[in-house]
Amino acid sequence: MTMELQLGLALPNNSTEGFDLNSRGSEPLSHVGSCLASESGIREYNSKKRSFDEAFVPQTLALLVWNKQPNEEDEGHSELDKNSSTISKSDGDEDGIVGWPPIKTPRRKLCHQNCGGFSGGNFDDGGPRPRGSKSTYVKVKMEGVAIARKVDVNLHHSYQSLRDTLDDMFGRGLKNVKAYKLTYQDGEGDWLLAGDVPWSAFIQSVRRLKLLRSSD
Amino acid sequence: MDPKRSRNSHESVNSSESTRFPDEVLERVLSLLTSHKDRSSVSLVCKDWYNAERWTRTHVFIGNCYSVSPEIVVGRFPAIRSVTLKGKPRFSDFNLVPENWGADIHQWLVVFAEKYPFLEELRLKRMTVTDESLEFLATSFSYFKAISLMSCDGFSTDGLAAIATHCKNLTELDIQENDMEDNGGGWLSCFPENFTSLEVLNFASQQGDVSFDALEKLVDRCKSLRVLKVDKYVKLEQLHRLLVRAPQLTDLGTGNFQQELTPRQCAELESAFSNCKNLHTLSGLWDATSLYFPVLYSACGRLTFLNLSYAALQSGDLAKLLPHCPNLRRLWVLDTVEDEGLEAIGSSCPLLEELRVFPAAPFDLDINRGVTESGFIAVSRGCPRLHYVLYFCRQMTNAAVATIVQNCPDFTHFRLCIMNPGQRDYLTGEPMDEAFGAVVKTCTKLQRLAISGLLTDLTFEYIGKYAKNLETLSVAFAGSSDWGMQCVLRGCPKLRKLEIRDSPFGNAALLSGLAKYESMRSLWMSACNVTMNACKLLAREKPRLNVEVMKDDETDSQVDKVYVYRTIAGPRRDAPPFVLTL
């Protein structure tokens, strides 16, 4: 790419920060004013900002990723410090890309609640807890299946109904899904076979679910 | 007849009074015009027509609330009954606009209360609306009928309570995709017992319980209710009670669809659905699994719009459901259905015109699932009428897009989001330039385009050269130099909205649009290479543009965000401290 005519603009306050107009073809320059400057084609701008090429060269994309905790300030009306850096807060964390992928807030909140892959629950779930119906989504994994699901145990009244839903979620193409054993992790971190304690006790203590292949 | 004759002109002193159109006739004719474009044209013919138009206009659409002031609006149009207002730039949906930026409705309401006491309808998008404003609205306009809030913020259910309490003639309460504080569901009980006029009720975006009793009674007494969209806290077992009271519904948004039902409850629900003979739109279906889809089958044949984007369905679920829905025109799904699910769409929905595929886990990099290019191709093969697509994926190829647009050349809206910024064609390793080149070359009716993937200036050359009907362009992480943006500004005659983020366009690019921005609604650039000097120059050269800048750093000359829009209202007076109007 050859450099064509370069015009640098000297502005009234004689700032050294002129800028280039790399002109290719008919540019309405007459009303912009002109004076030739000796700048090179590529501006050097403030080194605080990474240049686009530095930031987004594809092979370094793995480093520049959004981590597993996207911007907390997504969550509804969190009280932002209005004085300072309201801008920088929404300008991107060190790890994450603000507002990417471009998904609207209500759906983004849902992703936080429902999607697998988040480690722990130490981020605000988005908005105040609804009164009366506390939803308790727990992660469900099936042995041998890469993707976890989430299920709201509060919507069920019995082990059978929970099991039916899980069979339906994971049972696609699996002939003997019913042979899988349902296990759960309780509040103390232990893994137990589901069904021993009354349902009401179960939903108080269940933290995660796992369907294990039958070992016999 | 010479339309240029005016009553006041001295030309008409002794001539053709008989050929002059009486005002009453002109106004009667013009009052039948509803299209904004037609009305704009009419108002430019001559002074008589300008006046007749302004007196007969009942609806005004304001695409950018800062392009005009409420005083100017009421001054020009004395007889308005219905107002549509849009506020913040679209990227505010994705947290790119800080809070308290503006677009507050209140001042508009104050002016309207004085000049439009007969105001009936208010439709807002991306505006800030407080509870106080809603209360003011409810108490200031006795004939108020319809309020629609989309992607708005600043209010809570208390504001809804005010509307329910005071608006005696309300026909429409439509709250969509908003950031609404939940202060309890008691607002539904605020509708008086003798209130029966409601036709549209949408509170799907509420985050909490409502009083179901109150809802049931309300649905029961509002016999004209045709749109009912409840929030996800309404349980499946409660749905039946609503449906039997409103079999006339055309548009239903269910609550949660994942719950244990007895066989009898299932049968009742199925029967209720089959009695909804007018149902053409179905949404909600939160957390639905295919377990209870059979209750829907009887209604599915009539559906034209199905929104499954809150149900993490798998391909098999969709394959079971869709054969029952051959008349679908619009379908929204989550990418959990994967390519196989999209194949099912291609084979079951030949009339499909719009498809949106949302990502179930957009922030999770571990997942390598979702939909790919082959799903998209499958849909394009089976659905030749497809003209609107929103597609989130993790991989795409140039060849696939070329095939897709060959199968569906009538795209008017093509929004492709390859979720990894700057991602190449995964088969050839090339940039995705040719994909979007194919889109703009083939789809001559294209009005809206969103691009993604690794893109050089070539993409923008294509857009500038071929996209002659393009009105809205969204750019992210794309382009190589100023040249790209210059191509678009130079080449797209109908461009109205240009929004760019994280792209290497600088001052030369910004200034190359000097002559164009007044013909556009707005330009947004964030995380580009624009500096204060260029923005100041633009502002100075174009006094009818507002050039608003947001900077990270007080001393920095680098501009983080710039928002440029045409206006006849001058610089806005409500700009917060972090917005500099140049």
Side-chain angles (χ1 to χ4, degrees):
Chain A
M1 211 187 320
T2 58
M3 270 314 134
E4 274 92 21
L5 177 68
Q6 297 171 56
L7 296 178
L9 193 73
L11 292 154
N13 61 358
N14 258 344
S15 142
T16 50
E17 283 177 312
F19 57 93
D20 285 335
L21 295 173
N22 290 323
S23 165
R24 287 197 202 200
S26 56
E27 207 68 61
L29 295 173
S30 51
H31 55 278
V32 177
S34 65
C35 91
L36 287 168
S38 56
E39 286 162 284
S40 63
I42 316 254
R43 287 193 73 249
E44 275 169 351
Y45 40 88
N46 195 308
S47 56
K48 274 193 241 163
K49 289 278 190 273
R50 329 171 263 229
S51 75
F52 178 75
D53 285 337
E54 284 165 3
F56 299 122
V57 172
Q59 50 267 40
T60 63
L61 262 179
L63 301 178
L64 183 254
V65 294
W66 48 104
N67 66 6
K68 301 208 188 321
Q69 287 166 332
N71 313 301
E72 264 64 300
E73 47 95 14
D74 288 353
E75 319 310 334
H77 289 284
S78 55
E79 281 309 303
L80 296 179
D81 178 354
K82 310 256 193 307
N83 293 331
S84 74
S85 46
T86 322
I87 302 170
S88 58
K89 200 164 199 307
S90 66
D91 201 39
D93 307 335
E94 305 83 68
D95 299 282
I97 304 179
V98 181
W100 189 264
I103 296 170
K104 290 188 182 180
T105 305
R107 189 172 293 281
R108 211 183 309 131
K109 282 187 188 173
L110 274 184
C111 287
H112 294 176
Q113 284 172 9
N114 292 353
C115 304
F118 287 111
S119 46
N122 48 344
F123 54 90
D124 192 12
D125 245 345
R129 277 251 172 253
R131 290 192 328 230
S133 63
K134 181 174 180 292
S135 77
T136 27
Y137 278 96
V138 299
K139 266 194 225 180
V140 191
K141 282 196 139 171
M142 175 178 262
E143 191 177 358
V145 175
I147 298 194
R149 304 290 301 269
K150 273 199 174 183
V151 69
D152 185 350
V153 295
N154 259 336
L155 292 177
H156 299 273
H157 309 300
S158 68
Y159 285 107
Q160 189 56 50
S161 122
L162 173 64
R163 190 56 203 260
D164 284 344
T165 298
L166 293 180
D167 287 348
D168 194 68
M169 268 183 180
F170 286 96
R172 301 270 147 260
L174 269 179
K175 288 188 211 131
N176 57 342
V177 61
K178 296 210 183 295
Y180 279 66
K181 286 207 263 270
L182 181 61
T183 64
Y184 71 103
Q185 188 180 39
D186 68 2
E188 290 164 31
D190 298 324
W191 284 92
L192 306 163
L193 197 63
D196 288 335
V197 301
W199 175 258
S200 48
F202 169 73
I203 55 172
Q204 295 294 334
S205 58
V206 63
R207 294 288 173 266
R208 289 171 187 241
L209 292 166
K210 192 161 188 183
L211 286 160
L212 290 176
R213 272 194 274 262
S214 200
S215 51
D216 48 11
Chain B
M1 180 199 108
D2 181 349
K4 285 205 173 356
R5 283 195 201 282
S6 125
R7 197 193 318 203
N8 299 325
S9 139
H10 43 260
E11 284 170 307
S12 68
V13 160
N14 49 354
S15 63
S16 34
E17 288 279 330
S18 54
T19 62
R20 194 173 61 75
F21 235 37
D23 286 343
E24 301 78 31
V25 177
L26 185 58
E27 287 184 8
R28 180 73 183 94
V29 170
L30 294 185
S31 67
L32 299 172
L33 279 181
T34 47
S35 145
H36 294 292
K37 285 203 175 120
D38 288 344
R39 282 191 162 270
S40 281
S41 309
V42 157
S43 68
L44 294 172
V45 169
C46 67
K47 230 174 177 153
D48 273 354
W49 284 46
Y50 176 88
N51 281 321
E53 194 279 312
R54 56 183 275 264
W55 277 101
T56 58
R57 183 191 278 254
T58 55
H59 176 232
V60 67
F61 170 86
I62 299 163
N64 174 3
C65 64
Y66 288 119
S67 63
V68 72
S69 72
E71 292 80 10
I72 293 174
V73 174
V74 300
R76 177 166 171 192
F77 299 117
I80 296 293
R81 302 279 168 123
S82 167
V83 176
T84 302
L85 266 168
K86 293 186 174 183
K88 301 179 204 176
R90 196 182 75 98
F91 276 173
S92 70
D93 285 350
F94 318 124
N95 278 0
L96 291 183
V97 175
E99 283 196 19
N100 301 315
W101 179 86
D104 195 307
I105 189 60
H106 200 78
Q107 186 51 29
W108 289 85
L109 293 177
V110 168
V111 173
F112 288 164
E114 201 197 320
K115 299 291 187 182
Y116 296 152
F118 300 107
L119 189 70
E120 294 175 359
E121 293 183 6
L122 189 64
R123 295 175 199 286
L124 305 179
K125 188 168 185 180
R126 291 191 200 100
M127 304 273 309
T128 293
V129 183
T130 61
D131 288 340
E132 290 70 37
S133 295
L134 288 174
E135 171 125 28
F136 180 79
L137 169 71
T139 50
S140 306
F141 302 96
S142 346
Y143 299 92
F144 197 74
K145 283 191 184 160
I147 178 153
S148 168
L149 301 177
M150 187 196 260
S151 301
C152 295
D153 66 292
F155 63 102
S156 77
T157 46
D158 292 346
L160 302 187
I163 302 274
T165 305
H166 299 289
C167 296
K168 307 273 181 264
N169 301 307
L170 199 70
T171 57
E172 187 174 332
L173 179 57
D174 183 17
I175 314 291
Q176 289 186 56
E177 293 177 344
N178 296 288
D179 226 352
M180 175 170 62
E181 279 267 336
D182 176 53
N183 287 340
W187 60 272
L188 260 179
S189 315
C190 295
F191 285 107
E193 295 213 347
N194 61 351
F195 169 80
T196 58
S197 49
L198 206 57
E199 297 172 22
V200 174
L201 178 61
N202 176 0
F203 59 95
S205 57
Q206 180 161 332
Q207 297 295 318
D209 274 333
V210 291
S211 154
F212 186 77
D213 252 3
L215 175 62
E216 193 177 2
K217 292 198 180 104
L218 182 67
V219 169
D220 189 46
R221 65 184 186 270
C222 293
K223 301 295 182 203
S224 305
L225 195 67
R226 48 186 173 81
V227 176
L228 176 63
K229 297 187 182 178
V230 301
D231 73 356
K232 62 185 182 202
Y233 297 97
V234 171
K235 302 196 183 88
L236 190 54
E237 66 186 356
Q238 294 170 320
L239 181 60
H240 159 258
R241 287 157 64 184
L242 298 175
L243 285 182
V244 298
R245 285 167 176 78
Q248 74 281 3
L249 285 179
T250 60
D251 214 304
L252 172 68
T254 73
N256 195 289
F257 223 73
Q258 183 195 88
Q259 190 188 8
E260 181 187 10
L261 290 184
T262 66
R264 194 178 131 245
Q265 284 173 321
C266 248
E268 282 177 344
L269 191 54
E270 188 175 352
S271 158
F273 266 106
S274 68
N275 280 335
C276 293
K277 307 282 188 210
N278 299 324
L279 199 63
H280 57 64
T281 294
L282 185 60
S283 60
L285 299 167
W286 303 88
D287 299 326
T289 62
S290 58
L291 207 51
Y292 295 118
F293 277 169
V295 311
L296 301 173
Y297 288 165
S298 56
C300 282
R302 289 180 281 270
L303 290 182
T304 56
F305 178 19
L306 181 57
N307 181 353
L308 295 168
S309 65
Y310 295 110
L313 300 176
Q314 295 180 341
S315 54
D317 303 326
L318 208 56
K320 264 205 304 190
L321 177 63
L322 287 183
H324 297 268
C325 314
N327 289 310
L328 282 184
R329 307 289 196 273
R330 303 172 64 196
L331 178 61
W332 297 13
V333 295
L334 280 179
D335 66 355
T336 50
V337 303
E338 299 188 311
D339 289 334
E340 269 185 46
L342 298 184
E343 282 166 27
I345 298 176
S347 42
S348 307
C349 306
L351 302 178
L352 199 67
E353 297 174 17
E354 174 181 325
L355 175 68
R356 301 195 195 199
V357 182
F358 294 96
F363 306 112
D364 202 318
L365 294 175
D366 288 345
I367 287 191
N368 231 331
R369 306 281 280 273
V371 294
T372 72
E373 75 281 5
S374 49
F376 201 165
I377 291 177
V379 175
S380 73
R381 278 205 200 106
C383 310
R385 298 191 194 189
L386 199 64
H387 69 82
Y388 190 121
V389 76
L390 170 62
Y391 199 82
F392 285 85
C393 59
R394 290 186 166 86
Q395 66 183 50
M396 189 51 62
T397 68
N398 290 305
V401 176
T403 303
I404 288 160
V405 294
Q406 270 204 320
N407 293 337
C408 300
D410 296 329
F411 274 113
T412 54
H413 298 67
F414 193 90
R415 304 165 65 188
L416 176 62
C417 181
I418 304 167
M419 288 191 274
N420 237 348
Q423 180 160 309
R424 298 168 180 269
D425 177 322
Y426 81 96
L427 282 183
T428 65
E430 284 173 356
M432 296 297 299
D433 296 328
E434 293 306 319
F436 294 102
V439 172
V440 294
K441 282 178 202 164
T442 315
C443 305
T444 53
K445 302 181 204 161
L446 196 70
Q447 294 168 24
R448 181 170 179 185
L449 180 64
I451 60 183
S452 58
L454 181 68
L455 299 172
T456 70
D457 284 345
L458 185 56
T459 296
F460 299 94
E461 282 184 30
Y462 285 142
I463 295 174
K465 188 166 174 198
Y466 294 103
K468 294 307 175 187
N469 284 313
L470 192 66
E471 297 178 16
T472 304
L473 179 62
S474 304
V475 178
F477 309 103
S480 340
S481 75
D482 288 336
W483 172 244
M485 186 171 160
Q486 287 167 345
C487 286
V488 169
L489 289 170
R490 190 176 311 153
C492 297
K494 296 199 184 169
L495 194 65
R496 291 188 302 117
K497 288 176 279 186
L498 180 56
E499 49 186 24
I500 303 172
R501 61 166 294 180
D502 294 274
S503 299
F505 304 134
N507 295 333
L510 176 69
L511 292 174
S512 72
L514 216 68
K516 191 173 179 75
Y517 297 134
E518 276 184 22
S519 70
M520 290 169 56
R521 183 184 294 175
S522 64
L523 165 73
W524 168 280
M525 292 177 76
S526 59
C528 298
N529 293 343
V530 172
T531 69
M532 283 297 284
N533 288 333
C535 295
K536 285 181 185 162
L537 189 74
L538 178 61
R540 194 163 60 238
E541 293 295 319
K542 289 288 170 184
R544 285 189 301 194
L545 297 177
N546 276 355
V547 179
E548 295 181 4
V549 152
M550 288 179 262
K551 290 195 319 184
D552 267 356
D553 193 329
E554 281 289 320
T555 56
D556 202 352
S557 64
Q558 192 80 6
V559 156
D560 189 53
K561 297 167 190 174
V562 62
Y563 183 48
V564 180
Y565 56 91
R566 66 181 175 191
T567 179
I568 57 174
R572 58 180 175 116
R573 282 160 286 173
D574 64 351
F578 56 83
V579 172
L580 307 166
T581 307
L582 301 178

